[in-house]
Amino acid sequence: MTKSNDIHIAEGKKIYFASDNHLGAPTNEASRPREKKFVAWLDDIKHDAAAIFLMGDLFDFWFEYKTVVPKGFTRTLGKLAEISDSGIPIHYFVGNHDLWMNGYFEEELGIPVYHKPQEFTFNKTSVFIGHGDGLGPGDKGYKRMKKVFTNPFFQWLFKWMHPDIGVKIGQYMSVKNKMISGDDDAKFLGEDNEWLVAYCKRKLKEKHSDFFVFGHRHLPLEIQLNETSKYINLGDWIQYYTYGVFDGENFELKTY
Ligand SMILES: [Mn+2]
């Protein structure tokens, strides 16, 4: 398992990014066509991928018990295993819908899982990467909920519920109640009101990054932050089927 934040892109290779598949929403069956499309995309990109970044909310709800994980998503997990086993590094950033990961991706798939944003260097380009939830100003209700969701005691309590009940509650909170989602499916608020733009601009005052790449907004966005820094939002695999590609020089947002 590669856990270096320094990735070399060989000639002709690329780094791919995708986020917000929300597999399982509204049901496993209903999201199956989206899952198949995603697996076909993985199959296409594996030929020239130097690395793959999956940036959260792959699952609409995911919770790992000590010996149990939720049913479903077999095609995705199988494809990720195949690609990872072939030696292509995959990096996973948890989203607000699947932050309850606890070793399964590492052990089963050889995929490192990050719970916080990280800066990576691709050749000479610095890229700040994260799911994007709970960053910047606003979304106070979600930030309050996130404290509960990430609290070890509440996680421990939840774990003791029978998984058939626990996962049902999780799915309910995710699909119907929107308690887990927060503001993540809002419309474009304008550059001055996009809280991830505000977050990036604040970060830039401390340290330069060439690119900031996030998911979570479900909106494909490319916003120039200053002359040398750009914020990219990856969109989603529900409405847009967008993904990011970095070839060592240029970052492009494409549609599958
Ligand atoms: Mn999200």
Side-chain angles (χ1 to χ4, degrees):
M1 191 162 68
T2 342
K3 210 171 175 170
S4 165
N5 285 20
D6 246 316
I7 296 177
H8 174 71
I9 310 172
E11 189 70 41
K13 296 272 178 182
K14 293 171 177 118
I15 295 183
Y16 290 94
F17 305 80
S19 81
D20 293 275
N21 303 74
H22 290 263
L23 299 178
T27 64
N28 281 10
E29 258 173 36
S31 69
R32 183 68 51 78
R34 290 193 282 114
E35 177 173 19
K36 286 191 172 166
K37 194 164 167 161
F38 181 61
V39 169
W41 175 73
L42 288 169
D43 244 336
D44 281 353
I45 63 161
K46 70 184 181 191
H47 302 289
D48 66 355
I52 301 168
F53 283 78
L54 300 178
M55 311 218 348
D57 292 351
L58 176 60
F59 310 113
D60 199 56
F61 180 72
W62 178 268
F63 190 95
E64 280 171 36
Y65 302 83
K66 195 167 180 197
T67 54
V68 172
V69 296
K71 268 190 185 179
F73 326 114
T74 315
R75 289 160 185 81
T76 302
L77 295 170
K79 187 53 68 184
L80 294 178
E82 177 207 313
I83 293 174
S84 175
D85 286 349
S86 79
I88 299 168
I90 303 174
H91 297 264
Y92 195 81
F93 283 76
V94 302
N96 45 312
H97 288 254
D98 51 15
L99 64 91
W100 300 275
M101 289 195 164
N102 191 21
Y104 187 68
F105 268 40
E106 284 95 337
E107 289 154 25
E108 238 356 83
L109 307 172
I111 296 176
V113 172
Y114 307 89
H115 288 259
K116 295 215 167 94
Q118 301 267 326
E119 184 160 81
F120 279 76
T121 308
F122 304 140
N123 292 355
K124 279 178 186 150
T125 305
S126 52
V127 185
F128 192 87
I129 298 174
H131 179 63
D133 60 301
L135 303 177
D139 215 353
K140 292 231 165 60
Y142 169 69
K143 279 177 191 158
R144 216 170 299 134
M145 283 317 297
K146 190 171 179 176
K147 289 215 171 87
V148 177
F149 295 149
T150 53
N151 180 292
F153 175 68
F154 286 117
Q155 289 181 347
W156 178 84
L157 269 186
F158 187 89
K159 204 173 75 179
W160 282 99
M161 231 183 314
H162 190 281
D164 284 350
I165 298 165
V167 171
K168 251 218 155 70
I169 291 174
Q171 285 167 342
Y172 173 81
M173 295 211 313
S174 186
V175 179
K176 296 219 175 64
N177 194 292
K178 296 272 171 198
M179 218 148 138
I180 297 175
S181 311
D183 286 346
D184 70 2
D185 49 10
K187 296 276 165 290
F188 183 58
L189 304 170
E191 221 178 291
D192 295 337
N193 298 315
E194 282 287 328
W195 36 267
L196 274 170
V197 174
Y199 176 80
C200 295
K201 286 188 172 162
R202 207 192 66 212
K203 276 268 151 193
L204 279 173
K205 283 184 188 152
E206 298 160 18
K207 191 181 175 297
H208 171 80
S209 294
D210 296 313
F211 293 97
F212 289 82
V213 185
F214 295 109
H216 187 58
R217 285 292 282 115
H218 294 238
L219 269 182
L221 298 172
E222 283 185 77
I223 293 173
Q224 202 72 42
L225 297 161
N226 62 30
E227 270 162 36
T228 51
S229 183
K230 202 174 194 180
Y231 155 47
I232 286 159
N233 200 290
L234 296 169
D236 71 10
W237 280 69
I238 299 169
Q239 234 194 306
Y240 296 104
Y241 301 94
T242 38
Y243 63 97
V245 195
F246 182 69
D247 63 3
E249 295 273 326
N250 300 303
F251 203 119
E252 275 187 278
L253 212 47
K254 292 189 171 177
T255 305
Y256 191 63

